[in-house]
Amino acid sequence: MRLSACFLLLTLFFSCGDTGTALNPSAGDGVNDGSLDNAESPDIRLTITNVPTAGALLIGQYMDQQFRVDSARVEGNTVIFQRDEPYPIGHYYVYFTNGEAVQLLISKDQTLTATADMGNLVGSMKVDGSEDNELFYQALADESDLQPEFKALATRRAELRNGSAEYVAMRGERAALVEKRSSHLQSLFDRAPNSLFAAYKKAGQNPDLKTIYTATGDLDEAAQVADFRLHFWDNVNFSDDRLLRTPVIKNKLRRYVTELTPQNADSINLAADRLLAKTDYVGKFYEFFANWIALQYEPGNSTIMDAEAIHVHLIQNYFTPERATWSDSMTIYGLQQRAETMAYSLVGQQAPDITVPGLDGRGERLYDLEKPYVAVFMYNPECHHCVEEAPKLTALYDDLKDEVDFYAIALDTDDDKWEDFVRTQNFTPFTNVFDPTNRAIFKTFYVDNTPELYLLGPNRKIVAKNLKVSQLLDAIELHKIQ
């Protein structure tokens, strides 16, 4: 059976920001794959006061994983990172023994010194030998200077009536402050348009939140969010693999998928389609996005009503031999087979018409049940959660018996255990079936964990699935008003 099936997602490599307004993304939009050709051997020296210097670790990241890259040598108050092989280009943290950290951008120029006081890290940071880090810490300092003004405006906003003259004036002040921030950043980008710093900071900028009104003149917040989501990736250069070794891409991906996208299968699939199209279905961004979204909504672990619909959509469209070039043919075949099995029982589809042997040995046809709704309950008699949910189901019987038929399917057991479960759990009013060969239900209702509860409507289409028994009544009532 398919119970507790291992999710065969394709292997990820060993394995992300900032807020602000949209900026001109054109500078530095050429291909940059993070090549280490002509890169220096590292000689990175940090002298940070007011922090223990007994040792330090260099921590890097790739896609959504952080990992230890190197450990420091200590000379007096200075921690030193040296080796023959260049470090991969990207964003790093230097962690000290007390847990405090210093951020670094490491590009091909890997000889640099930095001095600072941990008590005022950004304000005191002095960097020599690395334009990326000079610009990075200048940007952090500029932002730090502006934050008190943004906070003061936020405090005033909370005290003002929306639409008042004072409120309009406050919004004008904030727009001017946002423009000041953008101007500061743009001046830094202009100094080094092809730098890691420019690519990283641009990628972290959010699009402008447009003011959109409905036909009646009210603020259309749904349209604002939709436009924001549509332009969320405008400042990201998908040809720049260096960005995959920074926090910005992982952070943007999580926000885009789990916060800005409504958490239902149709919306998630549409958001995934739009994002993956930006990668032209090739390269490391494509590999990362496809794997991450599929893992985020892995059936059995996701709380989305029909996570299988997301899985089927992603696997059938993006994990193909032509597109999933990082994986082997057998893994792809396994994923496609599992997706095909799931595809038979997605929400909104016509439920499979199955006939399974009942307690008397005769076939019990699902479509012979005549009440408006059918609850299909799939269980294993020795499953702990099944034993917990079964009494809740029988407790609902009297309230629902006039409009719901209960079709209970035993899985992966034997006749004696099945019949004992039916008797001890008071399932006798239900239609009880069991096929030891599983042939009667092969490629029908998908089950990743037991118990599994599906609700079928009057036309025998799948109304809901992955239900807890406590959700059954609400699912019926919701369907009636749709």
Side-chain angles (χ1 to χ4, degrees):
M1 275 300 292
R2 301 178 293 272
L3 306 181
S4 301
C6 176
F7 192 53
L8 298 174
L9 263 182
L10 296 89
T11 304
L12 280 170
F13 280 97
F14 184 48
S15 340
C16 270
D18 293 51
T19 59
T21 57
L23 297 161
N24 177 11
S26 61
D29 275 358
V31 174
N32 194 319
D33 60 3
S35 168
L36 292 175
D37 291 346
N38 302 316
E40 295 179 333
S41 296
D43 186 356
I44 299 172
R45 299 169 181 259
L46 281 70
T47 304
I48 312 295
T49 57
N50 289 318
V51 67
T53 54
L57 296 177
L58 186 65
I59 305 298
Q61 49 205 343
Y62 186 53
M63 297 183 180
D64 64 343
Q65 300 294 317
Q66 287 191 328
F67 55 95
R68 174 177 170 174
V69 178
D70 207 350
S71 56
R73 186 177 84 252
V74 179
E75 290 184 2
N77 295 324
T78 301
V79 294
I80 302 169
F81 295 96
Q82 286 181 322
R83 70 179 191 183
D84 293 333
E85 181 184 358
Y87 297 128
I89 297 173
H91 176 280
Y92 291 81
Y93 289 98
V94 176
Y95 277 103
F96 293 89
T97 54
N98 67 344
E100 295 194 84
V102 174
Q103 298 183 69
L104 288 178
L105 296 178
I106 297 180
S107 54
K108 291 187 178 183
D109 185 357
Q110 300 192 9
T111 299
L112 66 96
T113 61
T115 60
D117 184 330
M118 187 58 77
N120 180 23
L121 183 66
V122 172
S124 64
M125 177 63 73
K126 303 296 181 185
V127 180
D128 183 38
S130 171
E131 185 178 40
D132 274 303
N133 286 290
E134 290 178 30
L135 296 172
F136 179 57
Y137 276 95
Q138 182 61 59
L140 292 177
D142 290 344
E143 182 65 25
S144 180
D145 290 342
L146 292 174
Q147 276 307 303
E149 296 183 64
F150 276 109
K151 290 180 180 179
L153 287 172
T155 300
R156 284 175 54 195
R157 178 181 181 179
E159 299 170 350
L160 297 174
R161 179 174 55 84
N162 190 0
S164 67
E166 294 85 355
Y167 184 86
V168 172
M170 180 278 303
R171 286 184 60 89
E173 291 178 45
R174 190 181 188 284
L177 196 58
V178 168
E179 178 58 33
K180 183 178 180 180
R181 170 200 274 163
S182 298
S183 178
H184 283 182
L185 273 176
Q186 191 64 57
S187 68
L188 297 178
F189 296 158
D190 291 342
R191 287 170 56 184
N194 297 312
S195 64
L196 173 61
F197 160 77
Y200 173 51
K201 291 298 290 185
K202 283 182 182 181
Q205 305 310 301
N206 287 331
D208 293 317
L209 184 62
K210 294 181 181 177
T211 302
I212 303 174
Y213 296 99
T214 65
T216 59
D218 297 321
L219 187 65
D220 193 336
E221 294 182 356
Q224 279 187 301
V225 173
D227 182 81
F228 187 88
R229 183 172 59 242
L230 186 64
H231 294 282
F232 189 64
W233 295 92
D234 284 359
N235 290 313
V236 176
N237 182 355
F238 292 97
S239 297
D240 194 340
D241 287 350
R242 298 174 302 177
L243 294 173
L244 292 172
R245 293 188 179 274
T246 75
V248 68
I249 300 303
K250 160 65 183 307
N251 288 343
K252 286 184 76 80
L253 178 60
R254 179 175 294 280
R255 186 180 181 200
Y256 174 77
V257 174
T258 67
E259 297 178 21
L260 296 177
T261 300
Q263 294 301 284
N264 61 71
D266 288 343
S267 296
I268 293 165
N269 284 339
L270 178 59
D273 289 345
R274 287 174 171 170
L275 178 58
L276 292 169
K278 293 178 182 294
T279 70
D280 292 329
Y281 313 111
V282 295
K284 297 301 181 184
F285 280 90
Y286 173 68
E287 177 185 345
F288 177 38
F289 292 162
N291 275 285
W292 191 91
I293 298 171
L295 284 169
Q296 180 70 24
Y297 298 100
E298 179 182 350
N301 293 334
S302 173
T303 58
I304 297 296
M305 169 65 74
D306 197 14
E308 287 89 350
I310 303 171
H311 177 87
V312 169
H313 179 78
L314 288 170
I315 298 303
Q316 292 185 341
N317 287 280
Y318 303 113
F319 290 79
T320 63
E322 297 78 20
R323 290 181 169 175
T325 56
W326 61 88
S327 188
D328 62 87
S329 60
M330 287 304 297
T331 302
I332 294 174
Y333 176 79
L335 286 166
Q336 291 291 336
Q337 287 294 103
R338 185 169 183 239
E340 181 185 357
T341 301
M342 289 182 186
Y344 286 94
S345 53
L346 301 179
V347 169
Q349 292 201 27
Q350 196 72 31
D353 183 12
I354 58 176
T355 300
V356 188
L359 289 166
D360 60 4
R362 293 184 298 180
E364 298 282 0
R365 184 182 178 219
L366 177 64
Y367 273 38
D368 283 345
L369 301 177
E370 298 178 349
K371 293 173 185 175
Y373 292 92
V374 176
V376 181
F377 184 73
M378 287 161 279
Y379 67 93
N380 178 280
E382 297 176 286
C383 156
H384 175 69
H385 292 299
C386 301
V387 174
E388 285 184 345
E389 291 290 293
K392 301 174 186 177
L393 196 65
T394 55
L396 285 176
Y397 178 74
D398 285 339
D399 293 333
L400 296 177
K401 63 182 179 182
D402 292 336
E403 62 177 343
V404 180
D405 276 312
F406 294 81
Y407 193 86
I409 307 174
L411 303 170
D412 291 344
T413 187
D414 58 43
D415 288 331
D416 291 339
K417 292 175 182 176
W418 167 47
E419 293 172 7
D420 182 66
F421 188 90
V422 170
R423 182 179 62 258
T424 58
Q425 297 296 337
N426 298 314
F427 269 26
T428 49
F430 301 169
T431 299
N432 291 283
V433 299
F434 170 53
D435 177 11
T437 69
N438 292 322
R439 284 195 296 268
I441 55 174
F442 179 66
K443 284 191 175 181
T444 56
F445 293 99
Y446 180 77
V447 184
D448 51 8
N449 292 294
T450 55
E452 180 71 77
L453 179 59
Y454 282 72
L455 176 64
L456 314 185
N459 57 4
R460 296 304 178 252
K461 288 188 176 181
I462 298 172
V463 170
K465 60 191 289 191
N466 303 328
L467 291 170
K468 295 183 182 298
V469 173
S470 59
Q471 298 172 316
L472 181 58
L473 183 58
D474 287 342
I476 294 171
E477 295 304 315
L478 180 62
H479 180 260
K480 289 179 180 179
I481 63 176
Q482 289 179 339

